[in-house]
């Protein structure tokens, strides 16, 4: 009786350990699953490739686009939007500029990451040209103006009249240097 | 096996003497007591941090701690209270009560049980000790959201390690509890005749096994982002901090039910005892508990209504969350129906149980308010949320822990506690709790954000009321400590069945419960 209880206990414990391991794998599987969901629904924030505009223009609508600039922790330079607010008609190709001044006194390789608010506007905001597509290298003390060429698609839902686009610059000198 | 069993018996026939026994003990009662004491100590540690927070918030401006330390205090207060106080207290109850309630001689894996407990003090030392390292403790909030948790110093690593250790302890404890419940019940105790506390812990243990590994995975990814160049959550490398929030809350929401289901179990024992009626709707209680547990897996998004999920997602999480009110309502109405036409007496455990039903329901109701997406977008990260989760965790989980302590102290110590002091403790706690947390609803509705050491001057009065209540609440708990110690040291001798209306196998053994009980399975009918 005792032996069989010990055996039954050990068997049940093994099953429970398997459940725990499966749930651990499930937690890790959420990573690719999450990426797929974001891609499928178009709210992915990691889209950093040039896109093309569909071409039609809707002159009856005005959309306000705000440009925000911020630096990640410890990146000692100036980063600002030179055209912080622009009014555009959906479909019109527009260019805005950002200015960076590297005050650090060392060479910095940095990557800008865009983020949209509301995020539902992201699929309708097409970037034709953007400094965020590439890693940017700045010499010590270098100042540079950089462009974003974008178009807001005319099929943007009508309840969205204002879009904020925020760029955050991350210092990736160590990692980019490490890769050679 | 028979021989080994008999041998083990010889070694531990009587309770071994000396403090050293606690390091090696495999006795479920010893381990249960250690969990309880550990929990009470952590409760005072976390409570001390809460009082520093409330002292800082007594006036607008920065007086006592700088904003960094303030963030560290809110972070570690939460982690200590969740993982150090509430969860170990319930595991302590499980250790003491489940073998007694199902008629088993001990937990299924007695040696692993010892290991589960002794993992806790090192984890607590890592958490609390992280205040002493350069840069201070983790200040990212208990949710450890990136990017703050990626940028922090070595204390974040200590916190992550502590979470790993406590998670391992919880999983081992849960395996032990499930095995004990499923394999070691007295003959005749079918699943649907188990005491309610055993049922709630069975379901809680499954929740723990399901979500603790997910949390371990999430914090492991944080660790590799911090030290091994991965980019799961690091936006610079294409990672997404929002993904951490999804994974974290997939753990985090079941976690809040892990902290309340055993409380439901304890209350379901106290109310029938002092109403002198069987629990109303036993089967519906079981199914309600299971429904709450299942629903808890599909509502995590209600913690993140403001991150920009599509409207369909927000609506799904809103409706799923509101659905949880149905089984919870079933439980509350069953408790009230148990009281109906009962011959009720108001001993201290019953006061805590009735306090639980009234105040937890307020917390549940404010949870329902927060479940409404457009309302939550306004109230997100305000003191309304702080008020809500303290109503469900303090007047929910902690009230049940204290009520349960008064209820079973006669069984554990062999003495009745001091009834007058117990009642004084209840009223001080219940009144000062409401003074502390009720005004925080108003602060939240008026827009005061949480986790900020300073505030606009128009919030001063309600903050002062709240701080005064908090100090009263904190110091009232010293009375609880005194009552417990007094009860251990002496008092009126408790009978085997310490309460007139009590039912269950634990009341068939003498008080105090002997070191070894149910060596042969008892008759259950």
């Amino acid at each position: 009786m005792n032996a069989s209880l010990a055996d039954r206990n050990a068997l049940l414990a093994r099953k429970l350990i398997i459940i725990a391991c499966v749930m651990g794998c499930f937690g890790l599987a959420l990573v690719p699953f999450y990426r797929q969901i974001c891609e499928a629904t178009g709210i992915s924030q990691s889209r950093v490739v040039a896109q093309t505009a569909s071409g039609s223009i809707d002159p009856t609508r005005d959309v306000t686009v705000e440009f925000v600039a911020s630096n990640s922790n410890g990146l000692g330079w100036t980063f600002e939007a030179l055209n912080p607010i622009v009014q555009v008609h959906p479909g019109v190709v527009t260019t805005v500029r950002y200015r960076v001044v590297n005050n650090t006194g060392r060479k910095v390789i940095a990557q800008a990451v865009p983020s949209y608010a509301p995020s539902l506007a992201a699929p309708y905001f097409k970037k034709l040209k953007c400094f965020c597509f590439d890693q940017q290298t700045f010499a010590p003390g270098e100042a540079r103006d950089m462009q974003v060429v974008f178009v807001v698609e005319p099929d943007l839902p009508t309840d969205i009249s204002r879009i904020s686009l925020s760029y955050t610059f991350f210092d990736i000198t160590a990692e980019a240097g490490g890769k050679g | 096996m028979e021989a080994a069993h008999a041998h083990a018996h010889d070694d531990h026939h009587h309770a071994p003497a000396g403090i050293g026994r606690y390091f090696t003990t495999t006795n479920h009662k010893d381990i249960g007591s250690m969990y309880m004491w550990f929990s009470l100590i952590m409760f005072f540690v976390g409570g001390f941090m809460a009082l520093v927070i409330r002292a800082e918030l007594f006036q607008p401006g920065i007086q006592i701690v700088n904003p960094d330390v303030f963030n560290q205090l809110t972070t570690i207060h939460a982690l200590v209270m969740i993982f150090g106080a509430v969860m170990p207290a319930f595991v302590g109850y499980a250790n003491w009560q489940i073998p007694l309630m199902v008629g088993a001689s001990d937990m299924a894996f007695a040696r692993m049980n010892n290991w589960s407990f002794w993992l806790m003090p090192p984890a607590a030392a890592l958490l609390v000790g992280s205040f002493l390292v350069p840069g201070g403790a983790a200040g990212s909030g208990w949710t450890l959201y990136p990017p703050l948790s990626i940028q922090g110093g070595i204390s974040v690593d200590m916190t992550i390690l502590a979470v790993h250790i406590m998670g391992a302890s919880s999983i081992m404890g849960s395996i032990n509890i499930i095995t004990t419940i499923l394999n070691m019940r007295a003959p005749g105790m079918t699943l649907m005749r188990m005491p309610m506390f055993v049922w709630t812990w069975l379901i809680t243990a499954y929740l723990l096994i399901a979500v603790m590994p997910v949390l371990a995975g999430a914090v492991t990814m944080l660790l590799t982002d911090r030290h091994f160049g991965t980019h799961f959550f690091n936006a610079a490398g294409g990672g997404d901090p929002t993904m951490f929030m999804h994974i974290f809350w997939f753990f985090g929401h079941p976690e809040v039910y892990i902290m309340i289901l055993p409380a439901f179990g304890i209350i379901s024992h106290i109310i029938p005892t002092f109403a002198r009626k069987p629990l109303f709707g036993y089967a519906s209680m079981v199914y309600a508990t299971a429904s709450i547990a299942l629903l808890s897996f599909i509502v995590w998004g209600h913690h993140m209504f403001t991150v920009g999920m599509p409207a369909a997602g927000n609506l799904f999480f809103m409706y799923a969350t509101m659905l949880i009110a149905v089984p919870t309502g079933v439980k509350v109405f069953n408790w009230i129906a148990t009281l109906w036409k009962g011959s009720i007496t108001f001993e201290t455990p019953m006061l805590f149980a009735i306090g639980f039903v009234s105040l937890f329901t307020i917390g549940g109701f404010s949870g329902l308010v927060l479940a409404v997406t457009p309302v939550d977008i306004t109230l997100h990260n305000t003191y309304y949320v702080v008020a809500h989760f303290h109503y469900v965790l303090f007047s929910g989980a902690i009230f049940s822990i204290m009520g349960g302590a008064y209820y079973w102290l006669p069984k554990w110590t062999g003495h009745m506690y001091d009834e007058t002091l117990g009642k004084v403790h209840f009223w001080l706690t219940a009144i000062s709790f409401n003074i502390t947390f009720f005004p925080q609803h108003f602060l939240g509705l008026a827009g005061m954000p949480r986790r900020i050491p300073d505030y606009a001057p128009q919030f001063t009065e309600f903050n002062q009321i709240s701080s005064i209540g908090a100090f009263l609440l904190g110091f009232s708990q010293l009375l609880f400590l005194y009552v417990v110690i007094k009860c251990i040291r002496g008092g009126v001798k408790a009978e085997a069945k310490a309460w007139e209306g009590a039912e269950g196998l634990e009341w068939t053994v003498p008080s105090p419960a002997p070191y070894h009980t149910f060596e042969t399975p008892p008759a259950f009918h």
Side-chain angles (χ1 to χ4, degrees):
Chain A
M1 183 65 196
N2 268 326
S4 83
L5 176 63
D7 286 347
R8 281 191 293 136
N9 286 352
L11 181 68
L12 181 55
R14 255 178 249 132
K15 287 181 188 163
L16 295 172
I17 290 168
I18 290 170
I19 296 179
C21 293
V22 168
M23 289 309 294
C25 298
F26 172 78
L28 299 178
L30 286 175
V31 175
F33 184 63
Y34 174 81
R35 298 235 158 102
Q36 302 243 308
I37 295 258
C38 288
E39 291 298 328
T41 53
I43 54 174
S44 172
Q45 308 283 317
S46 56
R47 189 197 313 279
V48 285
V49 291
Q51 294 156 305
T52 50
S54 60
S56 64
I57 294 175
D58 179 359
T60 60
R61 262 180 91 188
D62 266 335
V63 177
T64 307
V65 185
E66 297 180 328
F67 291 90
V68 183
S70 55
N71 291 325
S72 84
N73 196 31
L75 189 59
W77 64 13
T78 312
F79 177 42
E80 58 185 342
L82 297 178
N83 318 83
I85 299 179
V86 293
Q87 296 260 346
V88 296
H89 296 308
V92 175
V93 176
T94 312
T95 302
V96 295
R97 286 174 308 142
Y98 275 85
R99 172 168 293 166
V100 166
V101 184
N102 176 7
N103 304 321
T104 60
R106 63 183 174 90
K107 191 180 97 168
V108 174
I109 305 172
Q111 171 74 53
V113 176
S115 171
Y116 301 92
S119 51
L120 292 177
Y124 307 98
F125 192 97
K126 301 261 169 81
K127 294 191 291 293
L128 313 183
K129 195 176 162 195
C130 178
F131 59 92
C132 62
F133 294 159
D134 302 301
Q135 297 177 357
Q136 304 287 334
T137 307
F138 295 91
E142 180 181 351
R144 193 194 305 166
D145 287 357
M146 298 179 300
Q147 285 185 337
V148 181
V149 182
F150 70 93
V151 61
V152 177
E153 287 293 303
D155 52 351
L156 178 76
T158 48
D159 59 330
I160 300 177
S161 59
R162 178 177 282 260
I163 301 172
S164 298
L165 175 52
S166 159
Y167 285 102
T168 307
F169 250 120
F170 292 88
D171 183 355
I172 56 166
T173 310
E175 289 152 48
K179 284 172 197 153
Chain B
M1 191 60 216
E2 196 65 58
H5 185 74
H7 176 69
H9 227 236
D10 275 346
D11 284 347
H12 296 287
H13 200 64
H14 300 287
I19 198 82
R21 94 179 207 219
Y22 285 104
F23 290 103
T24 55
T25 183
T26 57
N27 181 284
H28 73 98
K29 300 183 184 80
D30 281 350
I31 293 173
S33 302
M34 289 196 294
Y35 265 112
M36 299 280 192
W37 279 112
F38 174 80
S39 157
L40 191 57
I41 292 165
M42 295 311 284
F43 180 60
F44 283 114
V45 171
F48 172 76
M49 294 178 199
L51 292 189
V52 178
I53 292 168
R54 281 315 323 171
E56 172 58 49
L57 290 173
F58 188 71
Q59 301 175 60
I62 309 292
Q63 288 89 30
I64 298 172
V65 290
N66 67 46
D68 271 344
V69 174
F70 186 88
N71 286 346
Q72 295 163 17
L73 285 167
T74 54
T75 304
I76 305 296
H77 161 74
L79 287 168
V80 160
M81 286 302 197
I82 292 166
F83 290 102
V86 173
M87 288 171 69
F90 284 133
V91 180
Y93 276 100
N95 268 290
W96 251 103
Q97 293 304 128
I98 287 176
L100 285 179
M101 284 177 164
V102 303
S105 61
D106 205 316
M107 298 296 280
F109 306 103
R111 208 164 286 282
M112 185 167 81
N113 205 14
N114 172 288
W115 183 225
S116 305
F117 172 75
W118 281 107
L119 283 175
M120 297 301 290
L126 278 172
L127 260 188
V128 180
S130 66
F131 275 105
L132 305 174
V133 301
S140 56
W142 82 278
T143 53
L144 300 173
Y145 282 172
L148 275 182
S149 57
I150 292 179
Q151 293 162 355
I154 188 173
S155 56
V156 179
D157 300 311
M158 294 168 76
T159 305
I160 290 172
L161 193 57
V163 169
H164 272 139
I165 296 173
M166 292 184 291
S169 165
S170 291
I171 291 171
M172 288 197 290
S174 302
I175 289 174
N176 224 332
I177 287 166
I178 294 175
T179 310
T180 308
I181 295 173
L182 291 186
N183 285 357
M184 296 170 69
R185 296 191 307 280
M189 186 183 282
T190 57
L191 283 177
M192 286 309 281
R193 295 178 71 190
M194 290 196 306
M196 209 45 225
F197 178 71
V198 178
W199 252 118
T200 54
W201 243 116
L202 179 65
I203 291 166
T204 304
Y206 272 111
L207 281 182
L208 276 166
I209 287 184
V211 299
M212 275 297 168
V214 177
L215 174 68
V219 296
T220 305
M221 286 187 261
L222 271 187
L223 204 59
T224 60
D225 269 14
R226 286 170 56 79
H227 297 296
F228 303 109
T230 59
H231 298 290
F232 290 109
F233 313 123
N234 189 347
D240 190 345
T242 310
M243 182 171 71
F244 180 86
M245 301 168 75
H246 281 284
I247 301 176
F248 179 88
W249 285 113
F250 183 85
F251 147 81
H253 201 77
E255 168 69 16
V256 307
Y257 294 116
I258 287 165
M259 291 190 283
I260 202 63
L261 294 183
F264 291 167
I266 292 172
I267 298 304
S268 301
H269 283 259
I270 296 176
I271 288 183
T273 297
F274 296 99
R276 290 163 183 80
K277 275 177 62 193
L279 182 66
F280 184 89
Y282 171 88
S284 67
M285 285 299 221
V286 172
Y287 293 125
T289 310
S291 318
I292 293 172
L294 290 176
L295 285 172
S296 74
F297 285 104
I298 55 163
V299 296
W300 76 89
H302 68 216
H303 296 270
M304 356 183 347
F305 281 145
T306 58
V307 303
M309 286 185 294
N314 279 345
L315 284 174
F316 169 79
F317 286 120
M318 169 171 133
Y319 293 135
T321 304
M322 291 180 151
L323 204 54
I324 293 185
V326 176
T328 311
V330 167
K331 297 191 83 87
V332 170
F333 284 114
N334 277 345
W335 289 319
I336 295 171
T338 308
L339 293 170
W340 177 251
K341 290 190 174 174
S343 53
I344 304 173
T345 50
F346 295 96
E347 285 86 347
T348 311
M350 186 61 159
L351 291 176
F352 272 101
I354 291 173
F356 171 97
V357 175
S358 334
L359 297 175
F360 172 81
T361 306
I362 294 178
F365 194 67
S366 59
L368 212 47
V369 171
L370 289 170
V372 183
T373 308
V375 178
D376 180 79
I377 288 171
T378 310
L379 294 178
H380 186 80
N381 265 352
T382 67
Y383 260 81
Y384 193 87
V385 178
V386 177
H388 157 69
F389 66 69
H390 282 96
Y391 266 82
V392 289
L393 281 175
F394 199 115
S395 62
I398 306 256
F399 268 37
S400 83
I401 290 166
M402 288 179 166
Y406 284 110
Y407 183 59
W408 282 304
L409 264 175
K411 180 54 63 188
W412 299 336
T413 65
H415 305 122
M416 300 304 284
Y417 59 87
D418 186 324
E419 190 65 61
T420 312
L421 286 182
K423 283 181 176 164
V424 171
H425 171 232
F426 168 76
W427 285 111
L428 281 174
T429 304
I431 292 169
S432 57
F433 168 81
N434 281 296
I435 297 175
T436 308
F437 293 107
F438 209 81
Q440 296 185 1
H441 290 112
F442 305 134
L443 286 170
L445 289 169
M448 177 171 162
R450 61 192 280 218
R451 292 173 169 158
I452 309 254
D454 192 2
Y455 51 83
Q458 67 267 31
F459 300 137
T460 309
E461 284 79 7
F462 278 136
N463 270 299
Q464 292 187 334
I465 294 169
S466 182
S467 290
I468 291 167
F471 275 84
L472 197 57
L473 181 60
F475 285 100
S476 301
Q477 304 319 309
L478 294 173
L479 183 59
F480 177 67
L481 180 66
Y482 175 74
V483 174
V484 171
I485 291 173
K486 190 177 174 200
C487 179
I488 292 170
R489 298 175 67 130
V492 180
K493 185 89 189 67
E495 294 166 31
K497 191 174 164 182
W499 307 109
E500 184 198 357
E503 300 285 344
L505 287 175
E506 78 263 38
W507 304 108
T508 63
V509 301
S511 299
Y515 199 58
H516 294 289
T517 41
F518 299 130
E519 302 276 80
T520 53
F524 178 79
H525 28 240

